[in-house]
Amino acid sequence: MRCVGAVDDILRGFLPTQIGEEIMVEVGTRKVLLSVVSTTWSDISLLMKSNTSARSPLLRKFLVKLSQRIGLTCLPRRLQSWRYQGQNKLLGETILKNSGEGYSSNIGQHADFSNNGEYAELVGEDMDVPEIVEEILELLLSSLRDSDTVVRWSAAKGIGRITARLTSYLAEDVLSSVMELFSSGEGDGSWHGGCLALAELARRGLLLPSSFAKVVPLIVKALHYDVRRGPHSIGSHVRDAAAYVCWAFGRAYSSRDMKDTLEQLAPHLLTVACYDREVNCRRAASAAFQENVGRQGNFPHGIEIVNKTDYFSLASRTNSYLDVAVSIAQYTEYLYCFVEELLCSKINHWDKSLRELAAEALSALAKYDPEYFADHVLGKLIPSTLSSDLCTRHGATLAIGELILALHSHGFVFSADKQKSLSSVVPAIEKARLYRGKGGEIMRAAVSRFIQCLSLSEVSLNVKTKRSLLDTLNENLKHPNAQIQLSAVNALKHFIPAYLVMLGDKTANEVTLKYLELLDDPNVAARRGAALALGILPYEFLVHKWRSVGTKLCSSCTIQHKPDDPDAEARVNAVHGLIAVCEMLTNSSTDDFGQELSSLYLFIRSDVMQTLFQALDDYAVDNRGDVGSWVREAAMDALERCMYILCKSDSIESRKSLEHHGEAYHSDGQTTNLSSRLVGPEITTNLVGGIAKQAVEKIDKIRDIAAKTLQRILHNQKYFVPFVSDRETLEQFIPNDPELKWSVPSVSFPRLVQLLQINSYSRSVLSGLVISVGGLQESLSKTSVTALLDYLLVSESDKNEERNLREYLLSTGFLWILQQYQKCDRVITPTLKTIEILFSKKVLLNMEGHTQEFFSGILQSLAVELRASKDFAKLLAGISILGYIASVVEPNNSRALYQLLFYLAHRYPKIRKAAADQVYLVLLQNENLMPEDKIEKALEIITETCWEGAMEEARNGRFQLYEITGFKSGPSQEATHKELSKAGEKNTKVTDENESYSSLVGFSGF
């Protein structure tokens, strides 16, 4: 307890004045300070052992700094004669010396010491070291192990300062103590502190060249210090500090003393500069190398390498591995140490991305010595594929694949024995069951990449091995991990042409039928993989079964064909596979295809294009959001490519017709005989309209892709798409400007909303525009509404005619949407919100002859849509619209008021209150509905009734309003309203696109 109390007393007195004491120790006279050294050191020793210092890095730092100042006070200030005195150099001197030219300089002369006794201390030089200094050195050495960098850094500087005042014998003891920090049992903090201490000793000339033999091996180990700790590793600070030691060597020692050391350090510095995982370590090693090249000049090819390993080129890890390192490896002095570093440290690194990069880097070096890589490197890697360590076998598998591909690309031919060894790698991995347990997924991806490289390298395989590798890829194809599936597909793309095409039609039929069967597999991952696999089959596999493959993929593309299959990824892959099959057949078709070629193009025009148009209307939603957008994105890409296929065929046929029959041919690619063309006005209008609809919807990415797709279709220089309605107008609003940022609403909507004036696309564009205007995103809604209003507000000279025409087209578009998407809340709710917004802006309320027709259609649709609806947003928008219509003159205002009164007794109190508010406003604004005395009485009833209260009170209030207005009430009124709703449903026969959506998603408006 006394000890704890003493610590508290010291701490209270020390903390407010710790900085002041340090300053006094620094500037005070030695004679005065010696009188308080003993007391101050006792307090420091007690504080360093307290819990307070253990919790405060700043306190420990100041204690260390004060301790070293006390040590310096106890030692006399003198310059030791045993210190190393080096020579300063300039970079220009080093360059001239390396080039053989003379260079004279008087900057610093190297002391001429002999090898035998050059650093011996002078005869008679001796000193008594106080015991307190030994205790301070012990404290500083222990502080080199501190957990905080600032404390270790301060301790390292203190050791350097105190050692500068000691004899050479005592300095050797300090060096030995520092070197003990590099033992295998020490932690990363000790290694870091030891490196900092060595750097300080070197900078001050206290580390003599005679000690290089002991110190340099430790520095080399520190340059590669990397200790695995769970899912990560530690050691970057140690490697950075080791590079700092090398930098200090370059500044402190002459080239004569550093010659042998530089030859040892250069490969390791460059290895760290090129292959370290951390950018700060790469740059630190590069700086150390540059400092030594400039001051020492003994590094082989130093100036050339310095120009390549600059600060910016090492910023990117990929650039360091695949560019900088490859350019340095052309010098034999560094090639083999680079290879060993990759083999021993990077191929088995804990970071998966680094292993993949190391495999590529190793293959990039193969061109300098193919024989060495084929014999020595592959000989070490092949056994490692069966290692018990996951990182080792994964990296080795990747490295072998990349290496054999690189050797093949440089013309190297493997021996028969080596090819046999390579072909047995995958069977050996499967025999050892290395796909099981943790890491099985990354091994599958690595094996797929290995098989891909094997196929590209044309390594000889027997039939049994071919079957085994095909089974491996098929298993990976059915894996639920998308990356594994993609790697398997990439491997199959090269494996099948390289090894299976030569086996004949029987194998082709077996493989194709297997993938067709997988499209109906209960396993969703198998369906995804099969769709992708069919897309990469070669022409020889597809030519005899193209119709079956195309039909099956078409049925897998749309949700309508498989309502019980909600998997969006399977539909995306089917779209990708379908267009890939079409391109493979049309690009590779030969005369052997015969008369079926025309059938193929007709199939693409009718079945494929229609399927893709249906995929463009995929708005499926799950817990991840609008997953249908993935299908729509793939469909837009496929539609564009399909259109180019048809245009290319039409162009060829038109030219043939011109040559043989003299048929008229126009410069725009259109012939007078439209019946023989694959591309017609209908398909082109559907294409442009469907993509334009996506260009005005709510997802930024989809808008950007759609607008850029339209840009390519309109301005394509290779394929001219004919029969584009109002092409000039489209090109005006969608110019060929790659700088336009279509994903930005303020850029895209003012341009694309102008397409509403083109009859061919107005309805499609409007059906997409209402999703943005009436959606949940406030900023997007505001921008799109502004663009729509700007479109409607034409110039004063054309105001009456043009504005009425545009409002009329807009109104007919709204009625078409309400009929086409009946009961589809995804579209109907934002459409009603859009109409409400336009009504609030006094738009569509006065169209000179068309208003009543529009209101009648709206009322009929509202009777259908609002009946039994539970969507608050939809109900509120509909009631607001009824209020606007009821406020105008006959004949529709009474009908709208009639529907409003019906919702006064709705089961939701919020809806009853909203309907009452609208009825109140209608009665105030429209005095023609009933006599003035009745209006006053009705307003009184609306005001006094608590519409959010009990249902019975609301019904009584509604009954009284019925009596005042003269409308029928009771069961007959309910029947009349239902009859009106049924009549509206009979007038339009549509499908409910929202039938598979959850009620939550429907309520959210997505």
Side-chain angles (χ1 to χ4, degrees):
M1 293 299 293
R2 290 182 179 179
C3 180
V4 174
V7 170
D8 292 338
D9 293 339
I10 295 170
L11 194 60
R12 281 194 296 271
F14 181 80
L15 284 176
T17 60
Q18 52 189 350
I19 300 177
E21 286 192 18
E22 184 184 335
I23 294 174
M24 286 190 294
V25 172
E26 288 188 20
V27 303
T29 61
R30 183 169 182 267
K31 187 178 295 185
V32 173
L33 294 175
L34 282 174
S35 61
V36 297
V37 161
S38 178
T39 305
T40 305
W41 172 245
S42 300
D43 293 343
I44 291 174
S45 300
L46 194 58
L47 277 174
M48 284 297 288
K49 299 176 183 178
S50 67
N51 292 331
T52 305
S53 65
R55 295 192 299 265
S56 174
L58 183 61
L59 176 58
R60 295 198 304 275
K61 172 190 171 182
F62 282 118
L63 289 173
V64 167
K65 291 175 74 67
L66 185 55
S67 299
Q68 62 183 269
R69 294 298 176 185
I70 293 174
L72 293 175
T73 302
C74 295
L75 294 173
R77 184 187 296 272
R78 62 175 178 173
L79 187 63
Q80 299 290 358
S81 59
W82 60 267
R83 287 182 17 165
Y84 180 84
Q85 295 179 359
Q87 174 182 357
N88 294 325
K89 280 192 175 184
L90 297 176
L91 178 60
E93 177 185 353
T94 302
I95 295 174
L96 290 176
K97 186 184 75 171
N98 289 341
S99 63
E101 301 180 15
Y103 187 91
S104 61
S105 176
N106 296 323
I107 302 177
Q109 299 296 325
H110 186 274
D112 187 12
F113 296 114
S114 64
N115 290 332
N116 294 329
E118 60 186 62
Y119 302 115
E121 63 179 301
L122 299 180
V123 178
E125 181 183 358
D126 199 3
M127 65 180 297
D128 293 329
V129 178
E131 184 179 351
I132 192 173
V133 175
E134 295 181 5
E135 295 176 1
I136 289 172
L137 280 173
E138 184 179 352
L139 173 65
L140 295 178
L141 288 170
S142 64
S143 297
L144 290 176
R145 296 183 172 90
D146 196 274
S147 58
D148 284 275
T149 302
V150 291
V151 180
R152 297 195 295 268
W153 181 234
S154 183
K157 289 188 287 187
I159 288 174
R161 290 168 180 153
I162 293 178
T163 306
R165 299 190 182 184
L166 300 177
T167 63
S168 61
Y169 179 77
L170 294 176
E172 191 68 24
D173 288 344
V174 172
L175 178 62
S176 299
S177 300
V178 171
M179 292 173 62
E180 291 177 0
L181 298 173
F182 294 91
S183 63
S184 58
E186 296 288 349
D188 60 293
S190 300
W191 281 71
H192 182 251
C195 288
L196 294 177
L198 289 178
E200 289 299 319
L201 293 175
R203 287 181 61 241
R204 290 175 167 82
L206 307 175
L207 180 63
L208 303 180
S210 58
S211 302
F212 282 173
K214 298 182 295 182
V215 172
V216 171
L218 298 177
I219 299 303
V220 170
K221 288 184 180 179
L223 282 171
H224 301 281
Y225 186 89
D226 192 21
V227 179
R228 178 82 177 270
R229 292 282 177 85
H232 63 283
S233 68
I234 58 174
S236 61
H237 58 311
V238 177
R239 300 193 298 274
D240 185 77
Y244 173 53
V245 177
C246 298
W247 178 86
F249 282 178
R251 294 183 66 88
Y253 302 101
S254 67
S255 57
R256 184 187 68 177
D257 297 318
M258 283 290 292
K259 182 177 180 181
D260 296 335
T261 302
L262 290 179
E263 293 178 358
Q264 188 176 357
L265 287 177
H268 297 284
L269 278 176
L270 288 176
T271 297
V272 176
C274 294
Y275 293 131
D276 199 278
R277 182 175 182 269
E278 309 300 332
V279 63
N280 62 303
C281 295
R282 295 197 298 271
R283 286 172 168 169
S286 174
F289 184 87
Q290 181 179 351
E291 189 70 23
N292 280 277
V293 169
R295 294 183 180 271
Q296 306 296 336
N298 290 333
F299 278 66
H301 310 285
I303 300 300
E304 295 87 346
I305 295 174
V306 165
N307 291 331
K308 295 170 184 175
T309 57
D310 62 83
Y311 182 87
F312 298 102
S313 63
L314 298 177
S316 168
R317 189 191 303 171
T318 302
N319 188 64
S320 299
Y321 271 68
L322 303 181
D323 186 17
V324 177
V326 174
S327 62
I328 296 175
Q330 64 180 306
Y331 308 117
T332 310
E333 296 90 340
Y334 306 112
L335 172 63
Y336 299 103
C337 67
F338 279 13
V339 174
E340 289 303 315
E341 171 69 11
L342 291 173
L343 284 176
C344 299
S345 301
K346 297 301 182 284
I347 289 297
N348 57 1
H349 198 271
W350 60 269
D351 188 346
K352 175 177 174 286
S353 63
L354 199 69
R355 295 197 298 270
E356 296 171 348
L357 190 58
E360 294 183 43
L362 190 64
S363 66
L365 303 179
K367 61 183 179 181
Y368 296 121
D369 194 348
E371 289 289 344
Y372 174 79
F373 280 86
D375 295 335
H376 174 73
V377 177
L378 282 179
K380 292 184 67 174
L381 287 174
I382 291 177
S384 299
T385 58
L386 301 178
S387 172
S388 58
D389 179 57
L390 169 64
C391 297
T392 301
R393 64 175 181 265
H394 175 255
T397 305
L398 286 175
I400 294 173
E402 299 296 340
L403 195 54
I404 61 177
L405 182 58
L407 290 172
H408 173 74
S409 64
H410 291 99
F412 185 85
V413 179
F414 294 99
S415 63
D417 292 340
K418 185 63 69 175
Q419 292 190 45
K420 185 177 180 180
S421 299
L422 293 173
S423 64
S424 63
V425 168
V426 176
I429 291 175
E430 293 182 342
K431 186 177 180 180
R433 300 182 178 181
L434 297 180
Y435 295 150
R436 297 185 177 184
K438 183 181 179 181
E441 291 187 352
I442 63 173
M443 277 304 297
R444 286 185 179 275
V447 165
S448 296
R449 174 59 183 168
F450 174 80
I451 296 175
Q452 180 182 354
C453 295
L454 210 65
S455 306
L456 292 170
S457 304
E458 301 177 357
V459 175
S460 176
L461 303 176
N462 57 44
V463 177
K464 181 179 179 181
T465 304
K466 292 178 184 177
R467 294 288 183 183
S468 175
L469 296 184
L470 178 62
D471 292 340
T472 299
L473 293 178
N474 287 337
E475 286 299 317
N476 293 346
L477 200 66
K478 295 185 286 186
H479 199 277
N481 188 303
Q483 292 183 345
I484 296 176
Q485 282 188 340
L486 187 59
S487 63
V489 169
N490 292 333
L492 281 170
K493 185 176 182 179
H494 301 284
F495 179 81
I496 293 176
Y499 298 117
L500 300 186
V501 170
M502 63 182 67
L503 298 181
D505 294 340
K506 182 179 179 181
T507 302
N509 291 332
E510 290 177 357
V511 173
T512 306
L513 288 175
K514 181 178 181 61
Y515 293 147
L516 288 174
E517 291 173 0
L518 286 178
L519 285 178
D520 295 323
D521 196 282
N523 180 9
V524 65
R527 296 198 298 273
R528 297 176 188 174
L532 291 175
L534 288 171
I536 54 89
L537 291 180
Y539 175 79
E540 293 80 2
F541 278 50
L542 295 171
V543 64
H544 299 301
K545 290 189 175 295
W546 65 267
R547 189 176 292 276
S548 300
V549 172
T551 304
K552 199 71 174 178
L553 285 173
C554 284
S555 65
S556 301
C557 285
T558 58
I559 198 170
Q560 289 86 351
H561 289 97
K562 293 187 175 182
D564 297 331
D565 177 19
D567 187 66
E569 288 90 338
R571 299 196 297 278
V572 171
N573 291 353
V575 171
H576 288 316
L578 180 60
I579 185 58
V581 168
C582 294
E583 289 182 335
M584 175 62 70
L585 290 170
T586 54
N587 292 337
S588 305
S589 59
T590 62
D591 295 336
D592 298 335
F593 208 95
Q595 297 180 351
E596 290 196 15
L597 184 61
S598 59
S599 300
L600 171 64
Y601 282 109
L602 290 175
F603 177 81
I604 294 174
R605 183 185 68 176
S606 57
D607 295 44
V608 175
M609 292 291 284
Q610 293 305 316
T611 297
L612 295 177
F613 284 137
Q614 292 177 9
L616 208 57
D617 286 329
D618 192 326
Y619 289 90
V621 177
D622 62 12
N623 57 357
R624 295 170 293 180
D626 185 4
V627 293
S629 63
W630 307 340
V631 184
R632 302 198 300 274
E633 180 182 344
M636 285 189 286
D637 175 67
L639 281 169
E640 180 187 4
R641 292 155 66 182
C642 258
M643 180 58 71
Y644 294 155
I645 291 174
L646 299 180
C647 290
K648 179 182 177 181
S649 175
D650 277 348
S651 178
I652 294 174
E653 292 300 323
S654 297
R655 284 176 172 79
K656 288 181 179 179
S657 178
L658 179 64
E659 293 174 1
H660 292 88
H661 306 291
E663 185 178 359
Y665 183 82
H666 300 289
S667 60
D668 62 355
Q670 301 183 28
T671 62
T672 55
N673 186 8
L674 300 182
S675 61
S676 62
R677 296 185 62 88
L678 295 171
V679 180
E682 181 181 358
I683 195 172
T684 305
T685 301
N686 291 338
L687 172 72
V688 176
I691 298 177
K693 174 186 175 184
Q694 301 300 319
V696 292
E697 289 200 353
K698 62 185 177 182
I699 302 178
D700 293 345
K701 180 183 177 182
I702 296 298
R703 287 203 310 273
D704 184 63
I705 293 173
K708 290 180 178 178
T709 302
L710 285 177
Q711 273 186 319
R712 292 192 297 270
I713 291 174
L714 294 173
H715 304 283
N716 196 297
Q717 300 297 321
K718 187 176 181 180
Y719 301 108
F720 180 84
V721 179
F723 304 111
V724 177
S725 179
D726 292 274
R727 176 185 286 272
E728 294 182 356
T729 306
L730 284 172
E731 292 177 350
Q732 177 185 353
F733 297 122
I734 309 176
N736 190 20
D737 183 5
E739 300 299 325
L740 282 175
K741 297 180 180 180
W742 295 102
S743 60
V744 179
S746 59
V747 174
S748 57
F749 280 100
R751 290 180 174 274
L752 296 174
V753 79
Q754 300 295 328
L755 302 186
L756 290 172
Q757 61 186 285
I758 305 176
N759 291 333
S760 303
Y761 316 123
S762 61
R763 290 182 174 179
S764 298
V765 173
L766 184 60
S767 62
L769 184 62
V770 294
I771 305 296
S772 299
V773 175
L776 299 178
Q777 301 179 39
E778 183 178 354
S779 60
L780 179 64
S781 176
K782 183 178 179 180
T783 304
S784 53
V785 167
T786 302
L788 181 58
L789 293 176
D790 290 342
Y791 162 74
L792 293 173
L793 298 175
V794 295
S795 61
E796 291 295 332
S797 58
D798 298 331
K799 185 172 183 179
N800 293 332
E801 297 180 4
E802 186 67 20
R803 176 168 179 173
N804 285 338
L805 177 59
R806 293 187 177 186
E807 289 189 5
Y808 171 70
L809 291 176
L810 199 63
S811 66
T812 55
F814 281 131
L815 293 178
W816 177 82
I817 292 173
L818 292 173
Q819 295 173 2
Q820 185 71 19
Y821 295 94
Q822 188 180 100
K823 287 294 184 180
C824 177
D825 288 350
R826 178 190 62 82
V827 180
I828 294 299
T829 300
T831 300
L832 294 179
K833 288 183 178 179
T834 303
I835 296 173
E836 178 190 1
I837 292 172
L838 292 177
F839 279 175
S840 67
K841 304 294 183 182
K842 307 302 180 183
V843 179
L844 304 179
L845 294 176
N846 185 14
M847 292 185 288
E848 297 183 0
H850 305 295
T851 305
Q852 299 305 324
E853 179 184 353
F854 175 59
F855 286 171
S856 178
I858 290 289
L859 291 174
Q860 188 173 350
S861 296
L862 287 177
V864 176
E865 297 295 340
L866 302 185
R867 182 171 67 88
S869 176
K870 299 179 181 179
D871 188 341
F872 273 63
K874 183 178 180 181
L875 287 166
L876 292 174
I879 289 172
S880 179
I881 292 173
L882 289 174
Y884 280 111
I885 297 177
S887 299
V888 299
V889 296
E890 286 285 358
N892 290 297
N893 55 357
S894 299
R895 185 177 170 191
L897 179 60
Y898 167 75
Q899 293 190 41
L900 270 178
L901 293 177
F902 175 77
Y903 293 105
L904 290 175
H906 196 273
R907 55 180 170 176
Y908 295 141
K910 185 177 180 180
I911 301 302
R912 296 200 296 269
K913 182 65 168 61
D917 292 341
Q918 289 297 329
V919 173
Y920 187 88
L921 292 175
V922 168
L923 294 178
L924 285 178
Q925 295 173 3
N926 196 342
E927 299 178 353
N928 298 324
L929 285 172
M930 61 186 73
E932 184 177 351
D933 57 336
K934 290 187 177 181
I935 291 180
E936 292 179 358
K937 186 175 181 181
L939 293 175
E940 182 181 350
I941 294 173
I942 294 173
T943 305
E944 294 178 354
T945 304
C946 181
W947 300 104
E948 293 178 303
M951 175 65 79
E952 189 62 30
E953 182 181 358
R955 286 178 177 173
N956 291 335
R958 185 181 67 170
F959 178 78
Q960 296 177 42
L961 290 174
Y962 277 147
E963 290 184 339
I964 294 173
T965 57
F967 293 132
K968 296 180 180 179
S969 61
S972 60
Q973 189 273 342
E974 301 281 351
T976 304
H977 186 77
K978 291 182 178 180
E979 289 175 3
L980 180 61
S981 301
K982 292 180 179 179
E985 291 179 348
K986 290 179 180 178
N987 289 339
T988 308
K989 185 178 181 181
V990 294
T991 58
D992 185 6
E993 292 187 359
N994 202 37
E995 61 186 358
S996 63
Y997 295 177
S998 66
S999 59
L1000 177 60
V1001 174
F1003 173 74
S1004 301
F1006 287 94

